[in-house]
Amino acid sequence: MPLRWHLSLLTAAMVLFSMGAMTIVAYMTVSASLTASMDRSMEEKANSLLARTIDPLFVSKLNDEISLFKAYNPDTRISISPPGWQGTHGDVLPVPLELQSVTSGVKVSIQSLGGERLLAAGNEYGAIVVLAQDLSETHQLISALGVVLMAISAAGVFIAIAAGMVTASAGLKPISRLQRAVDHVTRTDELKPIEVEGNDEVANLTRSFNAMLEALQESRTRQTQLVADAGHELKTPLTSMRTNIELLMMLNRQGATGVISEEDRKDLERDVLAQMEELSTLIGDLVDLAREDAPRRELEEVELQEVLETSLERVKRRRPDVSFELKTMPGQVLGDPFALGRAVLNLMDNAAKWSPPEGTVRIRLSEVDEHTFGLTIADSGPGIAPEDRERVFERFYRSISSRSMPGSGLGLSIVKKVVERHGGSISVDESDDGGALMRVTLPGAPENGDRQTTAKDTAVPGAKGRGQVFAQRWMDRNKKDYQ
């Protein structure tokens, strides 16, 4: 059933209930009022007749008085028993037993009997007057009133249905427009915003729908851009690797005429392995980037010191010719331990890659204030030009000086996403010896009893104890994500 019919029938049901209740109350009220009015009139007449029964002249002309009463009240029967009389005069009407022995005052009994309203009144002198008024006229009046009220109720219900249809159609018009817009999006895949009219709940719903369309369009744009950039970046190493592999295959065929030296062959093989490594790194970075765009994991308390020490262990194995200095302190942040570990590892890898042999990478974790940590990673490389410092966090961006180095241009973009997701910030500066200096701030809480750990050219003390479990969890989790 359409919604407009639901609303119309609901309105009609409410009107029907209200009108029915009003009809019943009005019917009962009018019926009781008419009956009470009749009773008062009959009681006044009975009292008047009782007062006259002590008049000897009235009693002597009793039959004439009864005839005169009926002439003025044709719908009423009457029976009178004067004081001291054993019988009654007039119509044959029943006399209640309680009126046959009245000791003082006037006693009245009223009841409905056989379509008549029967009123009997007696006094202490023994006089009794019984009146019986026909109720057919009253019943007709009450029935007519009931029919009129029922007709009014029925008309009110039909009017309510019509008004409900008009109101529902007018109220649901914006929803119908919203439905057509949704159908248009489904049919054409065009994420076009819907025009907002008014400031009611439907307008707010339309604004929310437009915000959803905008977010969907932005997500689609990011996805399209990522696919395009990834395809462009993957094409270069694949093309180079394919060329080298085809050359090696041609040289290894039987009857090949081309001959190259052993040194050239080894150079080709090293190029193929390097291109495979570059391709693997690029795919890993793309997976990390897609993971950052995926739904967020549940946050937990993360020990920053463990993250730094574990990441440093991994970087030191890759660059044994570079010195590392680590100054850290105990403290926790609420976040994703694997994402934070990946971001810190990317920063350390980047610093180690740009540092020359015998260079030094300086890592320092300090307390900015009671709610913020500051992490700095400085290298001894050529640094980043001021005009490139804002763009290094863009996807696939690589400055002119870095295009000859291996890398995908995604590492710092992933780092920025992780840091900002954890409520922090990252910026680029120049280190004391002219290299690059990465400044990261993260919200967190330092532990009581600050301590510092310094490592230079050796493994970090305590890393194999406290950090080994974290490292194993970090590597196991990443292994599952890549499968």
Side-chain angles (χ1 to χ4, degrees):
M1 184 182 296
L3 182 58
R4 59 171 55 90
W5 274 103
H6 277 287
L7 295 177
S8 301
L9 293 180
L10 179 61
T11 304
M14 295 177 63
V15 171
L16 178 61
F17 177 79
S18 302
M19 294 292 292
M22 292 176 60
T23 299
I24 293 174
V25 171
Y27 182 85
M28 295 178 63
T29 300
V30 172
S31 177
S33 177
L34 290 175
T35 303
S37 177
M38 179 187 295
D39 292 342
R40 287 193 301 270
S41 176
M42 293 175 65
E43 187 175 356
E44 291 175 357
K45 294 174 183 178
N47 289 335
S48 176
L49 291 172
L50 278 176
R52 297 180 65 188
T53 56
I54 61 176
D55 183 3
L57 184 60
F58 175 79
V59 173
S60 64
K61 299 180 179 180
L62 185 59
N63 291 329
D64 294 335
E65 292 291 342
I66 291 175
S67 298
L68 184 62
F69 179 86
K70 285 187 174 182
Y72 284 101
N73 301 278
D75 58 343
T76 304
R77 296 193 297 157
I78 184 172
S79 173
I80 299 177
S81 177
W85 288 35
Q86 296 298 321
T88 61
H89 284 260
D91 298 309
V92 179
L93 296 173
V95 178
L97 294 177
E98 65 268 18
L99 297 180
Q100 297 178 5
S101 59
V102 178
T103 58
S104 63
V106 177
K107 190 172 183 180
V108 178
S109 174
I110 302 176
Q111 59 181 323
S112 295
L113 184 65
E116 292 179 321
R117 190 67 172 171
L118 188 68
L119 184 144
N123 58 20
E124 69 272 21
Y125 302 111
I128 298 175
V129 174
V130 181
L131 301 178
Q133 185 170 344
D134 188 12
L135 292 176
S136 58
E137 184 177 349
T138 303
H139 288 166
Q140 290 177 359
L141 180 61
I142 295 175
S143 300
L145 175 65
V147 172
V148 171
L149 291 175
M150 290 295 295
I152 293 175
S153 299
V157 170
F158 285 112
I159 292 174
I161 293 177
M165 285 291 293
V166 174
T167 304
S169 299
L172 295 176
K173 189 176 181 180
I175 297 181
S176 301
R177 184 159 46 89
L178 183 61
Q179 180 185 2
R180 290 194 298 271
V182 173
D183 293 340
H184 177 75
V185 171
T186 305
R187 186 175 59 256
T188 64
D189 205 28
E190 180 183 354
L191 304 179
K192 184 180 179 181
I194 306 171
E195 183 180 355
V196 180
E197 295 181 0
N199 196 29
D200 54 6
E201 289 79 1
V202 177
N204 293 333
L205 176 63
T206 306
R207 292 189 185 93
S208 299
F209 187 78
N210 286 340
M212 182 189 69
L213 289 179
E214 183 179 355
L216 184 59
Q217 181 62 52
E218 183 179 354
S219 175
R220 178 184 293 179
T221 302
R222 289 199 307 267
Q223 184 182 32
T224 303
Q225 185 64 35
L226 177 62
V227 172
D229 292 342
H232 176 74
E233 295 294 327
L234 287 169
K235 183 178 180 180
T236 301
L238 280 174
T239 302
S240 179
M241 185 168 60
R242 177 180 178 180
T243 301
N244 290 333
I245 291 175
E246 289 178 348
L247 180 58
L248 288 173
M249 291 174 61
M250 290 176 57
L251 294 174
N252 289 329
R253 288 176 184 168
Q254 294 183 357
T257 57
V259 178
I260 62 173
S261 63
E262 186 67 21
E263 183 179 356
D264 291 338
R265 181 184 294 274
K266 290 181 178 180
D267 288 340
L268 280 175
E269 292 174 353
R270 280 195 297 270
D271 285 344
V272 171
L273 292 176
Q275 289 151 5
M276 291 176 64
E277 179 68 22
E278 182 180 356
L279 189 60
S280 176
T281 301
L282 178 58
I283 293 174
D285 288 341
L286 289 172
V287 171
D288 288 343
L289 193 62
R291 185 185 296 117
E292 285 306 310
D293 289 336
R296 306 308 185 195
R297 298 189 180 100
E298 184 177 356
L299 303 182
E300 59 184 85
E301 294 290 342
V302 181
E303 289 285 349
L304 279 179
Q305 185 170 344
E306 292 184 3
V307 174
L308 292 172
E309 292 172 350
T310 304
S311 300
L312 182 58
E313 282 288 320
R314 299 183 63 187
V315 176
K316 286 170 64 66
R317 288 194 293 268
R318 301 177 186 178
R319 287 297 305 270
D321 58 335
V322 175
S323 300
F324 295 88
E325 293 181 358
L326 174 63
K327 291 184 179 181
T328 184
M329 60 177 293
Q332 293 182 335
V333 298
L334 184 65
D336 182 351
F338 307 102
L340 287 172
R342 189 164 62 244
V344 170
L345 183 62
N346 282 351
L347 289 175
M348 291 184 181
D349 265 335
N350 200 58
K353 179 177 70 175
W354 288 101
S355 293
E358 306 304 326
T360 303
V361 175
R362 300 169 296 282
I363 307 160
R364 178 180 176 85
L365 178 65
S366 59
E367 180 183 353
V368 177
D369 55 45
E370 59 180 350
H371 301 296
T372 309
F373 285 110
L375 173 64
T376 59
I377 300 179
D379 60 50
S380 302
I384 300 176
E387 61 271 15
D388 293 328
R389 290 177 185 175
E390 290 296 328
R391 301 195 61 190
V392 292
F393 298 107
E394 297 178 5
R395 295 180 178 182
F396 300 105
Y397 177 77
R398 303 181 69 186
S399 62
I400 298 177
S401 59
S402 64
R403 291 175 184 172
S404 60
M405 298 287 290
S408 63
L410 290 174
L412 291 179
S413 176
I414 296 172
V415 171
K416 185 176 182 181
K417 273 184 168 290
V418 172
V419 171
E420 290 181 346
R421 178 158 64 91
H422 286 78
S425 62
I426 183 171
S427 60
V428 184
D429 207 339
E430 184 177 345
S431 64
D432 296 337
D433 54 358
L437 174 64
M438 294 291 176
R439 296 183 184 274
V440 178
T441 60
L442 287 171
E447 296 180 0
N448 295 329
D450 294 355
R451 65 179 178 85
Q452 288 193 345
T453 302
T454 304
K456 184 175 182 179
D457 298 332
T458 58
V460 177
K464 292 186 178 295
R466 184 177 60 256
Q468 191 171 23
V469 176
F470 175 83
Q472 186 62 42
R473 287 193 303 147
W474 193 88
M475 289 186 289
D476 292 344
R477 180 63 175 268
N478 277 275
K479 184 184 297 183
K480 291 180 182 179
D481 289 339
Y482 280 105
Q483 289 176 350

